[in-house]
């Protein structure tokens, strides 16, 4: 079974090469997934390895740089909305005098902002790879 999955993955990789020449960001994403597969394999995490192999096959068959870029931009937009909602909630709790809730929400806000920054960095990386 393991060998057949490996062979299938290799065949799909070869078949996808011409289409990938125009999708450097997808190539980068596939390389990241392959690194995760290797890590899972080294640590004996068979279930994670199988899931990552499916993800890699999907990237190899369906990934296009424009779609990848659009997805990250959508994630950024959603994260910015989440931050605004969190700010509104903080203002509401502050007006109610609920400082305990304000402190909890501010910690969550910092995590949301860190996630937004991570997504923005990913977008810059994709754009630098030539995804347009």
């Amino acid at each position: 079974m393991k060998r057949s999955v490996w062979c299938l993955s290799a065949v799909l990789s070869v078949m996808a090469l011409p289409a990938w020449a125009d999708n450097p960001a997808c190539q980068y994403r596939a390389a990241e997934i392959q690194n995760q597969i290797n890590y899972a394999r080294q640590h004996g995490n068979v279930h994670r390895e199988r899931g990552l192999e499916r993800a890699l096959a999907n990237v190899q068959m369906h990934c296009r740089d424009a779609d990848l870029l659009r997805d990250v931009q959508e994630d950024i937009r959603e994260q910015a909305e989440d931050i605004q909602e969190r700010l509104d909630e903080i203002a509401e709790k502050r007006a109610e005098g609920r400082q305990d809730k304000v402190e909890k929400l501010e910690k969550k806000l910092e995590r949301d902002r860190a996630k937004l920054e991570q997504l923005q960095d990913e977008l810059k990386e994709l754009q630098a790879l030539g995804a347009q």
Side-chain angles (χ1 to χ4, degrees):
M1 178 68 178
K2 220 177 194 184
R3 178 172 275 169
S4 64
V5 170
W6 179 254
C7 290
L8 176 63
S9 179
V11 169
L12 291 174
S13 297
V14 171
M15 290 173 49
L17 283 177
W20 279 42
D22 297 333
N23 294 297
C26 290
Q27 290 174 350
Y28 180 76
R29 177 64 54 96
E32 285 180 335
I33 294 172
Q34 186 61 55
N35 288 339
Q36 292 177 25
I37 290 171
N38 294 339
Y39 184 84
R41 191 171 291 145
Q42 288 173 347
H43 292 86
N45 193 340
V46 177
H47 297 291
R48 175 114 173 109
E49 183 181 345
R50 285 185 195 147
L52 288 166
E53 285 172 347
R54 282 192 301 274
L56 180 59
N58 283 331
V59 165
Q60 290 171 335
M61 290 175 57
H62 304 292
C63 185
R64 298 291 170 261
D65 281 3
D67 296 338
L68 202 54
L69 203 67
R70 187 188 67 243
D71 290 346
V72 172
Q73 289 169 337
E74 177 66 18
D75 291 345
I76 288 172
R77 187 190 61 72
E78 288 175 4
Q79 191 65 30
E81 287 177 4
D82 290 348
I83 288 172
Q84 186 56 51
E85 288 174 13
R86 188 84 64 207
L87 288 168
D88 294 344
E89 195 174 356
I90 288 171
E92 179 183 319
K93 296 301 177 190
R94 192 168 276 140
E96 293 173 2
R98 301 285 313 266
Q99 190 58 32
D100 58 326
K101 293 286 185 182
V102 169
E103 291 171 7
K104 286 182 182 180
L105 290 169
E106 285 176 343
K107 288 178 184 176
K108 290 180 180 181
L109 177 63
E110 287 307 310
R111 286 194 298 265
D112 290 345
R113 286 181 173 159
K115 170 97 174 167
L116 178 61
E117 189 174 319
Q118 179 186 4
L119 288 168
Q120 289 170 334
D121 289 345
E122 183 179 349
L123 179 62
K124 288 176 189 173
E125 231 176 85
L126 292 173
Q127 289 171 332
L129 288 169
Q132 298 174 7

